[in-house]
Amino acid sequence: MDRRDFMLRSLALGCSAAASPLVTPVALASAPWDNRLVVLILRGGMDGLDVVQPYGDRDMSGLRPNLKVGEAGHAHDLDGFFSLHNGLGSLMPLWTKGELGFAHAVSTPYRDKRSHFDGQDLLEAGTVSLGGTTQNDGWLNRMLGRVPGVQAETTYAIGIEQMLLTKGRAPASSWSPEVSFELSAQAQRLLELVYHDDPLYRAAAAEAIAIASDLEMSQDLDAETADMMSSNAEMMQPVGKGGSHRKLAEFAASRLRGHTRIAAFSIGGWDTHQTQSRFIERPLKTLSDTILTLRAGLGDVWGKTAVIAMTEFGRTARENGSKGTDHGTGGAMVFAGGAIRGGQVISEWPGLKESELYAGRDLMPTRDVRAHAAWMMRGLFGISNSDLERVVFPDLEMGNDPKILL
């Protein structure tokens, strides 16, 4: 059962269901390379204009009077034009070391309907469109299918869904800790359904659900998983304590220190329709914690690792009446790791004048986010341009190499 089927059969939830942090899958696979790739799916539509702020664009501040764009104490200057939201301030040492960078004004080919479900399916499918049905496989799985000798050692799914990103002909399995919710999954979904369109209680309900989700993986592992981890004691040494996102990153790092070469999981909570300056702090901290936990857990392997964080779409250029932002188009991609050429914001900046916005409301995408992912796989794994443009990402034009990797 894919994400859409599961949710539709669970009272046909709307916007928040696809954007919530309830679903946190992890998938991993081994391959005959020494380099590593970690793909983070940022569910909910990360606001790239708030995370990587183009404060040098004169039109930016007028579009967002309440979001403190580029203000001292609320952002870190990157290059004199872009600044980094303070919520990712703990990653600035990585920026200085050249281990953190960004791509801006990017998007998938998804346009106009602005559905989380369709947007995420298209992001993970890696295709131009979904047609009338959901794509049957994901771009990471198709990439693995082009490499002779690949061993899908494990494709672990943590949570209640399988990621389309890694779904396909390559063998897949699941890994999940035994969890106990103080707030049941059914109750969480009911909260989302009831309060999603309520401007007064929606944000409070979302925060309660996010807190509950942090407890999801704080329980002891089941016996089978504990035995597996015990047999790999050295590889499974934890790198820290904390919420579920850290545990996901610790588990991924432990496998990547061994034979695993590709890991993928999701970070939710980016659907900031209301009081964005407050509610974006949690997912930003989750993202920064995740990257730092991966770095600590990977040790020397970090130098062979590239991390990319992608979202289904950006958000509107203008803030809305609730001091938040709505579903948009162009956004930003985050990349990190010892194998990347950081300290740069890659962008063909389109501008933010009304005439320069997509449909008069969104940041105009100037490059397909799939192209950045393709060039990363080209450099890390030697996948041919032909395979990347025809099989992994059908109908993609990779264009010029953005020089993301060293």
Side-chain angles (χ1 to χ4, degrees), residues 136-152:
N136 293 323
D137 55 7
W139 58 266
L140 268 182
N141 194 282
R142 293 197 299 274
M143 185 272 288
L144 289 171
R146 306 305 292 176
V147 181
V150 164
Q151 297 178 4

Side-chain angles (χ1 to χ4, degrees), residues 142-179:
R142 293 197 299 274
M143 185 272 288
L144 289 171
R146 306 305 292 176
V147 181
V150 164
Q151 297 178 4
E153 177 198 29
T154 43
T155 301
Y156 295 108
I158 294 182
I160 59 174
E161 70 164 359
Q162 180 182 7
M163 295 183 78
L164 176 59
L165 183 68
T166 53
K167 182 180 177 182
R169 294 183 179 180
S173 59
S174 62
W175 179 91
S176 178
E178 186 174 341
V179 298

Side-chain angles (χ1 to χ4, degrees), residues 322-369:
S322 301
K323 299 181 180 180
T325 54
D326 298 318
H327 301 175
T329 309
M333 178 183 108
V334 182
F335 51 93
I340 64 102
R341 190 188 306 274
Q344 61 174 334
V345 180
I346 300 169
S347 180
E348 300 170 16
W349 189 246
L352 292 172
K353 290 183 172 59
E354 185 168 358
S355 61
E356 297 167 334
L357 297 176
Y358 177 78
R361 68 193 295 276
D362 303 336
L363 175 65
M364 178 72 72
T366 56
R367 192 147 193 195
D368 194 324
V369 72

Side-chain angles (χ1 to χ4, degrees), residues 69-104:
V69 175
E71 289 187 16
H74 297 283
H76 300 265
D77 180 62
L78 295 175
D79 60 6
F81 185 86
F82 292 103
S83 60
L84 183 64
H85 191 290
N86 196 49
L88 293 182
S90 60
L91 298 182
M92 282 302 295
L94 299 187
W95 170 269
T96 302
K97 292 179 180 179
E99 296 178 357
L100 176 72
F102 307 91
H104 221 317

Side-chain angles (χ1 to χ4, degrees), residues 67 203 272-280 320 322-325:
L67 293 180
T272 49
H273 286 285
Q274 183 175 327
T275 323
Q276 180 166 306
S277 60
R278 175 185 175 191
F279 288 103
I280 200 172
N320 59 28
S322 301
K323 299 181 180 180
T325 54

Side-chain angles (χ1 to χ4, degrees), residues 118-132:
D118 287 345
Q120 289 170 24
D121 282 348
L122 198 69
L123 174 64
E124 296 188 52
T127 54
V128 173
S129 65
L130 292 172

